[in-house]
């Protein structure tokens, strides 16, 4: 694990990220807060591209909790069976829809605790929704961010909560809103797991990773 970078180095890194991609976006397709919750929950152990393909028709007919309940578990399965763990995910989608209808007036709550209480919605999903839909500076740490954070020294930590805290504690506040998107995209396309593309990396000179590839 690399050591935590100092403030000035972090400011330079995120300035470069911002210059390269001023308005980074999540890659999961959605039309409202509810479809974002469903899409992120479905993305566990699945690719964004795979989820987008599965939800394209699903969200056309069920973009609210009420419509999802009307579709039913078997109807959800028909749309998402190309995604891993689809049976359990379909159960969770229907359970979540029922809770939203019965307890929240069919609206998605905007608190982390309420979101995390929904079936299949963990801390990462809650943080994605809070960040992408309501603009909260919540940090959704996935495997990409965990890898990049620990390799580079941007936000090292022994687990995802520690990495999340490192982002919140150390990354300059004016970069907090987009921080997790920049880190996810960097991990997905440049700082990949097996053979990072260090030659193409625009923070190569600031990164602490000792085994840089040529």
């Amino acid at each position: 694990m690399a050591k935590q970078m100092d403030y000035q180095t972090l400011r330079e890194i995120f300035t470069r990220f911002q210059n390269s991609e001023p308005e980074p976006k999540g890659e999961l397709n959605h039309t409202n807060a509810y479809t974002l919750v469903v899409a992120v929950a479905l993305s566990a152990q699945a690719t964004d591209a795979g989820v987008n393909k599965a939800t394209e028709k699903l969200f056309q007919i069920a973009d609210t909790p009420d419509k999802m309940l009307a579709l039913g578990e078997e109807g959800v399965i028909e749309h998402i069976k190309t995604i891993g763990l689809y049976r359990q995910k379909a159960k969770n989608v229907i359970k979540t829809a029922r809770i939203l209808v019965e307890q929240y007036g069919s609206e998605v709550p905007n608190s982390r605790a309420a979101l995390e209480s929904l079936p299949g919605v963990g801390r990462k999903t809650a943080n994605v929704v809070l960040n992408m839909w309501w603009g909260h500076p919540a940090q959704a740490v996935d495997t990409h961010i965990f890898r990049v954070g620990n390799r580079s020294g941007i936000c090292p930590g022994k687990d995802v909560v520690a990495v999340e805290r490192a982002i919140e504690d150390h990354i300059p506040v004016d970069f907090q809103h987009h921080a997790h998107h920049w880190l996810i995209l960097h991990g997905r396309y440049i700082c990949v797991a097996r053979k990072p593309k260090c030659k193409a990396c625009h923070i190569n000179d600031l990164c602490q990773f000792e085994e840089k590839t040529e």
Side-chain angles (χ1 to χ4, degrees):
M1 184 190 301
K3 292 181 180 180
Q4 177 63 58
M5 286 178 175
D6 62 79
Y7 177 85
Q8 289 302 329
T9 303
L10 286 169
R11 175 158 286 283
E12 175 60 25
I13 282 175
F14 281 90
T15 297
R16 293 183 191 182
F17 282 149
Q18 186 177 58
N19 290 340
S20 175
E21 186 70 58
E23 291 290 331
K25 304 291 184 187
E27 296 181 323
L28 286 170
N29 294 336
H30 60 282
T31 57
N32 54 31
Y34 174 65
T35 54
L36 179 59
V37 169
V38 173
V40 180
L42 292 177
S43 71
Q45 296 180 297
T47 65
D48 287 0
V51 172
N52 288 339
K53 187 175 180 180
T55 58
E56 183 179 4
K57 291 183 179 177
L58 174 64
F59 290 161
Q60 288 176 9
I61 59 175
D63 61 352
T64 69
D66 302 81
K67 290 177 183 177
M68 197 69 77
L69 273 181
L71 182 61
E73 189 176 318
E74 289 303 316
V76 174
I77 285 175
E78 280 303 305
H79 286 90
I80 70 167
K81 60 187 177 183
T82 55
I83 300 174
L85 308 174
Y86 67 90
R87 289 192 182 279
Q88 185 58 49
K89 288 178 180 179
K91 280 187 173 67
N92 287 338
V93 166
I94 292 301
K95 286 179 182 176
T96 290
R98 185 168 289 112
I99 290 170
L100 291 176
V101 169
E102 294 177 355
Q103 297 181 26
Y104 296 99
S106 299
E107 297 293 328
V108 175
N110 65 348
S111 82
R112 182 185 283 121
L115 286 166
E116 284 190 64
S117 73
L118 300 172
V121 177
R123 188 178 184 88
K124 187 190 87 168
T125 299
N127 282 345
V128 170
V129 176
L130 289 171
N131 181 287
M132 289 180 64
W133 195 258
W134 284 289
H136 295 186
Q139 308 302 331
V141 177
D142 67 355
T143 55
H144 296 301
I145 294 180
F146 188 80
R147 178 176 66 253
V148 171
N150 280 294
R151 261 185 187 169
S152 65
I154 292 174
C155 46
K158 63 183 180 183
D159 54 40
V160 293
V161 174
V163 171
E164 180 183 325
R165 192 165 292 122
I167 296 173
E168 294 172 346
D169 289 349
H170 298 286
I171 291 174
V173 67
D174 46 321
F175 296 118
Q176 289 272 333
H177 178 55
H178 290 313
H180 90 277
H181 277 135
W182 282 317
L183 291 170
I184 286 173
L185 294 171
H186 190 64
R188 187 173 287 167
Y189 298 111
I190 301 295
C191 196
V192 294
R194 295 191 177 181
K195 193 175 181 182
K197 302 172 184 176
C198 298
K199 200 170 182 179
C201 175
H202 51 280
I203 63 166
N204 187 318
D205 58 317
L206 303 174
C207 171
Q208 297 175 24
F209 185 47
E210 294 180 356
E211 302 169 30
K212 290 189 174 76
T213 57
E214 292 299 325

